[in-house]
Amino acid sequence: NAGVTQTPKFRVLKTGQSMTLLCAQDMNHEYMYWYRQDPGMGLRLIHYSVGEGTTAKGEVPDGYNVSRLKKQNFLLGLESAAPSQTSVYFCASSGDRDRPFGELFFGEGSRLTVL
Amino acid sequence: AQSVTQLDSQVPVFEEAPVELRCNYSSSVSVYLFWYVQYPNQGLQLLLKYLSGSTLVKGINGFEAEFNKSQTSFHLRKPSVHISDTAEYFCAVTNRDDKIIFGKGTRLHILP
């Protein structure tokens, strides 16, 4: 049972390039989240989804887009990368509509560097 | 909107001594509260959660936390720490609108 899998785990981009981070979960969870982690800032919510076909903005959504076309996948896109987006990105998923506020299951993180 | 404040960015403590990591939250409505731990170069994992009921919550690895509604706090405690507890600890809150907001984290340093 893989849980939450993020790809890629490492990526270096040049300013202005685009890329997509993929998050896949095999637990049939309804809720999926994308966070970024920066030193001294904790985890900040970028976007989240409460079910297939839905997305919503979190605390720091600017410069990012997301899609949830399939229940098991949550994609995070950077259309034009900036050095300020250098960070470690974490995907998480949780429960179902009957127990939406249980445990968050996290991926191992994706380290992105924008030069 | 809800928010979380972790009052200490770093906490040094001697091995086998007790520790308390502080967390305060703000929200205009009822909340659910969580503590997560992140070991070096890993993702986060749940330590414990408060959803309702008893205000004293016990979690994994000997940790516990107490929900105090009047002080809007959810402090994490352990009576005797071990070197393996070295990690970063995050408090998180949701007011049930589906967003889960994290604090900035507290690094726990265990001194020999």
Side-chain angles (χ1 to χ4, degrees):
Chain A
N1 192 340
V4 178
T5 303
Q6 295 181 226
T7 53
K9 290 186 170 46
F10 301 93
R11 184 75 186 268
V12 178
L13 287 177
K14 294 181 179 179
T15 297
Q17 287 185 318
S18 63
M19 75 159 296
T20 300
L21 295 175
L22 169 64
C23 177
Q25 53 95 2
D26 61 3
M27 296 171 283
N28 200 33
H29 284 167
E30 290 285 347
Y31 295 74
M32 298 187 74
Y33 305 81
W34 275 108
Y35 291 90
R36 60 178 289 174
Q37 184 177 25
D38 303 289
M41 300 297 292
L43 274 78
R44 291 181 290 171
L45 181 63
I46 304 171
H47 286 281
Y48 64 105
S49 168
V50 301
E52 181 178 318
T54 74
T55 63
K57 294 180 179 180
E59 303 170 275
V60 289
D62 294 342
Y64 304 95
N65 57 74
V66 288
S67 64
R68 183 106 181 261
L69 299 179
K70 293 183 179 181
K71 185 176 183 178
Q72 64 268 32
N73 295 337
F74 195 31
L75 278 63
L76 177 70
L78 286 72
E79 291 187 347
S80 179
S84 60
Q85 294 178 304
T86 293
S87 188
V88 180
Y89 292 85
F90 285 98
C91 178
S93 70
S94 70
D96 51 43
R97 292 192 182 276
D98 292 325
R99 292 194 307 161
F101 298 107
E103 179 175 353
L104 277 178
F105 291 82
F106 281 84
E108 294 185 345
S110 298
R111 185 175 294 275
L112 175 65
T113 301
V114 182
L115 303 176
Chain B
Q2 67 271 35
S3 67
V4 177
T5 302
Q6 291 185 243
L7 297 164
D8 305 296
S9 60
Q10 298 190 64
V11 173
V13 62
F14 286 103
E15 196 168 13
E16 299 183 6
V19 69
E20 178 180 83
L21 305 183
R22 297 180 293 171
C23 172
N24 286 89
Y25 69 92
S26 66
S27 176
S28 58
V29 298
S30 297
V31 296
Y32 295 145
L33 293 154
F34 309 84
W35 275 99
Y36 285 83
V37 60
Q38 184 181 32
Y39 298 104
N41 299 314
Q42 295 185 23
L44 282 73
Q45 57 184 279
L46 182 71
L47 269 181
L48 49 79
K49 61 188 176 187
Y50 171 78
L51 303 182
S52 65
S54 173
T55 57
L56 182 62
V57 180
K58 294 189 182 297
I60 62 171
N61 300 340
F63 284 93
E64 64 180 33
E66 186 157 18
F67 171 58
N68 187 320
K69 187 175 181 180
S70 62
Q71 297 187 2
T72 61
S73 68
F74 190 55
H75 299 334
L76 180 70
R77 302 185 183 100
K78 186 170 183 179
S80 176
V81 296
H82 188 266
I83 193 73
S84 60
D85 294 321
T86 298
E88 190 160 19
Y89 293 80
F90 293 92
C91 183
V93 64
T94 178
N95 65 3
R96 314 180 196 180
D97 68 350
D98 306 322
K99 289 188 291 187
I100 301 176
I101 303 300
F102 284 79
K104 293 185 178 181
T106 299
R107 289 190 181 275
L108 179 61
H109 297 281
I110 309 299
L111 307 172

